[in-house]
Amino acid sequence: MSSYDLVVVGGGLGGSTLGKALAEWGARVLVLERETRFKDRVRGEQMHPWGVAEARRLGIYDLLRASCGHELPWWDMYDGPRLILHRDLPNTTRQGASEFTFYHPVMQEVLFQAAVAAGAEVRRGAVVRDVRPGERPSVVIECGGRVDETQARLIVGADGRNSMTRKWGRFTVRRDPERLLIAGLLFDDMPVADDTSYTVFNADLGQRVLLFPQGRGRVRAYLIYQQDSGRRFQGEGDIPQFVTASLETGAPAEFYAGARAAGPLATFDGADTWAEHPYGNGVALIGDAAASNDPSHGQGQSLTVRDVRVLRDHLFSHEHWDAAGHAYADEHDHHYGVMHEVTRWFRDLFYTRGTEGEARRARAFPLFAEDRSRVPDHLFCGPDLPIEEMTRTRFFGED
């Protein structure tokens, strides 16, 4: 039976970056990737400034910026058709950074090849059939018509929100009630400013449009809407309805005029799903496998690189990797917990319909106009900002 220091299940942003970091450190690393070619599947394609800071600490930011990344220094917020904020992110965030976007399949390939260049062994078309936790955990791999079992000091599940590693590792999983759905579609030739992210709220409908340019007219467009709408946008035939709903939310019609669909249209559930303490018995979880935050707030990529950086640092500093795994899980539970709480506040204020939501906004919004410090900046600046009861009460105008 073969043996490695680290086996990573999943060769995306989290898995390849962790594999690269540990291989550079001198560990014997195996990265397993199910796909033989990365394809567009409507996944997160932007990092907030706090995620950019984590990517820099991991040494991947310059690589991505040079190969597939695109910086967006401006953040425009609309209340329906009315522009209410034009924010200069590099000069107003503690990280001094822009939003950062990329085309997901290219990002995956760049980091996957970076792991190879760092000395990691990789297998494409590898299907993991089982993960067996224990003092010396192992993974059962089917690849090229063969089935092998491989041991490791540590197995890391970086296999997404529907993680099988999480199931095989027997982690306790929690899930919030369903409230929102998010639909995404890639456009070419969309006439928006290439240096600006756009968000359009319609609180009466409980809907939001997000537009993240990737350069040269390519834009990833999202629509967040209520789960009880009874509709899911899926496939080419639903593109006109997706655009119509975006315009109803308040997105400018000229943005969509002449734009061409350049990828699949798909809709996903928005509820948070997370594993309690994502380490145990030689198996750790990172990224969406550990905790999938409501994608309406765009925190997934930033949380993933934070997970990788925290796990890397603990593995580097602990002789015993079991202790490192538990230290990582404790820290993960804190930083994810902060973002989970703050994004819940934003959901409750901006997406709640009816008299309850109207009353909250009638109380809070005039106070925001007078004092923007009432709005927590965690979505841009991350979980290291303080979170206290006073933070919540000031946000909701209950002080």
Side-chain angles (χ1 to χ4, degrees):
M1 183 184 299
S2 58
S3 180
Y4 295 83
D5 295 307
L6 174 71
V7 174
V8 185
V9 181
L13 172 63
S16 288
T17 301
L18 182 65
K20 173 182 179 294
L22 269 291
E24 288 173 338
W25 186 56
R28 189 176 182 214
V29 176
L30 173 63
V31 179
L32 302 170
E33 171 53 46
R34 186 184 189 103
E35 295 185 346
T36 57
R37 181 177 64 86
F38 296 119
K39 300 179 287 293
D40 185 6
R41 296 182 184 274
V42 189
R43 289 166 287 195
E45 293 187 318
Q46 55 80 223
M47 288 181 187
H48 289 305
W50 74 273
V52 168
E54 295 290 354
R56 285 174 173 156
R57 293 177 70 177
L58 287 164
I60 62 170
Y61 184 72
D62 288 341
L63 173 64
L64 291 177
R65 184 177 60 178
S67 57
C68 61
H70 185 71
E71 294 178 328
L72 301 168
W74 295 100
W75 178 274
D76 280 6
M77 179 181 292
Y78 289 79
D79 180 6
R82 183 170 62 95
L83 178 66
I84 60 173
L85 179 66
H86 181 58
R87 183 174 179 179
D88 179 356
L89 293 173
N91 288 306
T92 60
T93 57
R94 66 189 305 188
Q95 291 83 6
S98 301
E99 289 284 299
F100 186 61
T101 64
F102 40 74
Y103 183 50
H104 204 106
V106 176
M107 175 275 294
Q108 288 178 286
E109 190 63 43
V110 167
L111 292 178
F112 194 75
Q113 294 304 325
V116 174
E121 180 182 338
V122 300
R123 298 183 197 172
R124 299 189 94 137
V127 179
V128 175
R129 295 302 185 190
D130 196 10
V131 170
R132 295 168 179 169
E135 184 175 344
R136 191 69 175 172
S138 66
V139 56
V140 178
I141 309 159
E142 181 179 343
C143 188
R146 291 183 53 189
V147 177
D148 298 302
E149 184 173 358
T150 297
Q151 288 186 330
R153 289 179 68 188
L154 176 68
I155 294 172
V156 172
D159 48 345
R161 58 188 297 167
N162 297 315
S163 170
M164 289 301 295
T165 306
R166 185 173 63 206
K167 176 182 177 181
W168 290 320
R170 298 189 288 275
F171 290 94
T172 300
V173 179
R174 303 297 184 196
R175 185 177 178 86
D176 282 343
E178 293 287 357
R179 286 187 56 182
L180 298 172
L181 298 173
I182 180 166
L185 176 62
L186 187 68
F187 284 103
D188 278 339
D189 300 328
M190 181 173 268
V192 299
D194 259 358
D195 62 353
T196 303
S197 304
Y198 298 85
T199 179
V200 183
F201 280 104
N202 187 318
D204 292 337
L205 296 177
Q207 293 184 182
R208 183 184 184 193
V209 166
L210 290 165
L211 301 174
F212 293 109
Q214 298 178 3
R216 300 181 180 180
R218 174 161 283 191
V219 178
R220 181 67 72 179
Y222 297 101
L223 173 69
I224 297 102
Y225 61 102
Q226 300 291 322
Q227 191 270 341
D228 62 10
S229 68
R231 56 182 175 174
R232 296 181 79 96
F233 301 102
Q234 205 85 18
E236 184 176 353
D238 284 348
I239 292 175
Q241 289 77 22
F242 172 86
V243 172
T244 297
S246 300
L247 300 182
E248 290 172 350
T249 305
E254 59 269 24
F255 285 1
Y256 295 83
R260 298 182 296 107
L265 170 63
T267 298
F268 301 92
D269 298 328
D272 277 60
T273 303
W274 67 98
E276 292 185 352
H277 195 75
Y279 172 77
N281 294 315
V283 180
L285 305 173
I286 61 173
D288 281 353
S292 174
N293 184 237
D294 177 353
S296 306
H297 307 286
Q299 300 298 312
Q301 306 300 296
S302 299
L303 283 165
T304 294
V305 288
R306 168 62 72 97
D307 283 354
V308 173
R309 197 268 302 164
V310 170
L311 179 56
R312 178 202 68 175
D313 289 354
H314 284 298
L315 293 175
F316 284 4
S317 61
H318 286 77
E319 179 180 355
H320 300 291
W321 279 12
D322 187 64
H326 286 295
Y328 154 73
D330 288 340
E331 195 167 339
H332 163 90
D333 289 346
H334 171 74
H335 64 243
Y336 166 69
V338 170
M339 301 313 296
H340 185 194
E341 181 70 5
V342 172
T343 54
R344 183 177 64 83
W345 297 347
F346 276 83
R347 182 199 66 200
D348 289 348
L349 183 60
F350 286 93
Y351 292 104
T352 300
R353 295 168 296 173
T355 56
E356 180 184 5
E358 291 168 0
R360 286 175 179 165
R361 290 185 286 273
R363 183 172 60 242
F365 282 10
L367 297 174
F368 294 166
E370 297 173 4
D371 181 5
R372 281 201 49 78
S373 73
R374 286 180 170 272
V375 182
D377 213 23
H378 297 69
L379 302 188
F380 293 102
C381 295
D384 295 329
L385 291 177
I387 180 171
E388 304 165 336
E389 178 60 18
M390 182 179 68
T391 311
R392 190 198 68 80
T393 57
R394 292 188 76 240
F395 180 54
F396 285 99
E398 296 172 353
D399 53 329

